[in-house]
Amino acid sequence: QKEVEQDPGPLSVPEGAIVSLNCTYSNSAFQYFMWYRQYSRKGPELLMYTYSSGNKEDGRFTAQVDKSSKYISLFIRDSQPSDSATYLCAMSESNSGYALNFGKGTSLLVTP
Amino acid sequence: GAVVSQHPSWVICKSGTSVKIECRSLDFQATTMFWYRQFPKQSLMLMATSNEGSKATYEQGVEKDKFLINHASLTLSTLTVTSAHPEDSSFYICSAFGREETQYFGPGTRLLVL
């Protein structure tokens, strides 16, 4: 079993919809959770960074972490065509010196 | 956020040649950098951890003699793909820890070996 599971999609939604992206994991030692956005042929761009359980909001983006369920989510409100990309969840046991464990990424398409 | 650059952004080479990819942290010092490889429609797979001033740590299944890593300074790590073959064609991405203690990624280098 992979340590991080993420549905690859693709996920297609109309503009303005609320998007929900999710990952599950098996390693209870993970404490740092990140969401990256990757456009085609580009490097990943950090969107959200959270530590331990709880919610974090930044503009149209909300990240949720439920460590008891080993489940993290990213919500995108008022989705825009420019949000069309692959979204990767990533997590780590430590915030320094440790490589990240990535999900496979979910491909999102927001249609006008 | 922190800026990480890679050079070249893409390269096409003949089978059997060696290719060097540079990863630079532009506005911060990075004692640790990571090299990932990403095949089409796949996630990033860690290849190796590059530590300034010491030998790199390679993940299982990654040949250290084929993928040479040199982290000569706090802002530069290089990955050399030696005797490249078509199966080495991939998207190579480096990352480094920034001031906010999270990883920032370079824009990636697309390698095509003919």
Side-chain angles (χ1 to χ4, degrees):
Chain A
Q1 179 190 8
K2 273 182 65 70
E3 283 197 297
V4 182
E5 298 281 355
Q6 184 177 10
D7 186 340
L11 178 63
S12 182
V13 302
E15 182 175 358
I18 297 175
V19 176
S20 174
L21 304 167
N22 313 291
C23 288
T24 59
Y25 62 95
S26 58
N27 186 348
S28 58
F30 287 148
Q31 295 192 76
Y32 297 86
F33 304 90
M34 284 135 277
W35 285 95
Y36 286 85
R37 177 173 61 194
Q38 186 177 25
Y39 292 109
S40 181
R41 299 174 180 267
K42 301 290 185 183
E45 168 196 0
L46 180 66
L47 276 180
M48 300 288 282
Y49 170 65
T50 54
Y51 168 69
S52 194
S53 285
N55 295 355
K56 186 172 184 179
E57 187 173 324
D58 184 2
R60 295 184 296 112
F61 299 92
T62 299
Q64 288 186 352
V65 175
D66 182 349
K67 290 192 67 181
S68 63
S69 301
K70 298 190 181 68
Y71 187 88
I72 69 171
S73 301
L74 177 71
F75 297 96
I76 306 174
R77 291 183 298 280
D78 188 24
S79 55
Q80 304 294 311
S82 57
D83 295 328
S84 299
T86 296
Y87 290 81
L88 298 152
C89 65
M91 46 200 79
S92 174
E93 296 179 29
S94 169
N95 67 336
S96 179
Y98 276 69
L100 294 174
N101 297 273
F102 281 91
K104 274 195 170 182
T106 299
S107 177
L108 171 67
L109 176 63
V110 182
T111 56
Chain B
V3 179
V4 176
S5 72
Q6 277 184 245
H7 178 79
S9 57
W10 60 272
V11 57
I12 301 173
C13 68
K14 292 182 179 180
S15 184
T17 60
S18 294
V19 176
K20 180 187 283 189
I21 302 170
E22 294 184 348
C23 176
R24 293 181 185 275
S25 55
L26 297 184
D27 56 355
F28 64 99
Q29 293 183 330
T31 55
T32 302
M33 290 183 173
F34 301 95
W35 286 96
Y36 294 84
R37 181 167 53 184
Q38 186 178 35
F39 292 105
K41 299 190 183 296
Q42 298 292 318
S43 189
L44 285 78
M45 297 299 296
L46 179 66
M47 298 176 66
T49 302
S50 171
N51 298 296
E52 188 269 337
S54 64
K55 290 183 178 180
T57 304
Y58 290 82
E59 294 300 300
Q60 191 173 14
V62 178
E63 301 174 56
K64 62 180 182 181
D65 294 330
K66 181 169 182 62
F67 298 99
L68 300 179
I69 291 173
N70 184 7
H71 197 150
S73 76
L74 287 172
T75 59
L76 173 64
S77 176
T78 60
L79 168 68
T80 302
V81 183
T82 61
S83 186
H85 288 92
E87 59 265 30
D88 298 323
S89 299
S90 187
F91 192 47
Y92 292 86
I93 306 174
C94 70
S95 72
F97 273 97
R99 284 184 291 274
E100 293 80 15
E101 297 182 327
T102 190
Q103 285 191 38
Y104 290 90
F105 286 83
T109 297
R110 189 160 300 278
L111 171 64
L112 177 60
V113 184
L114 302 176

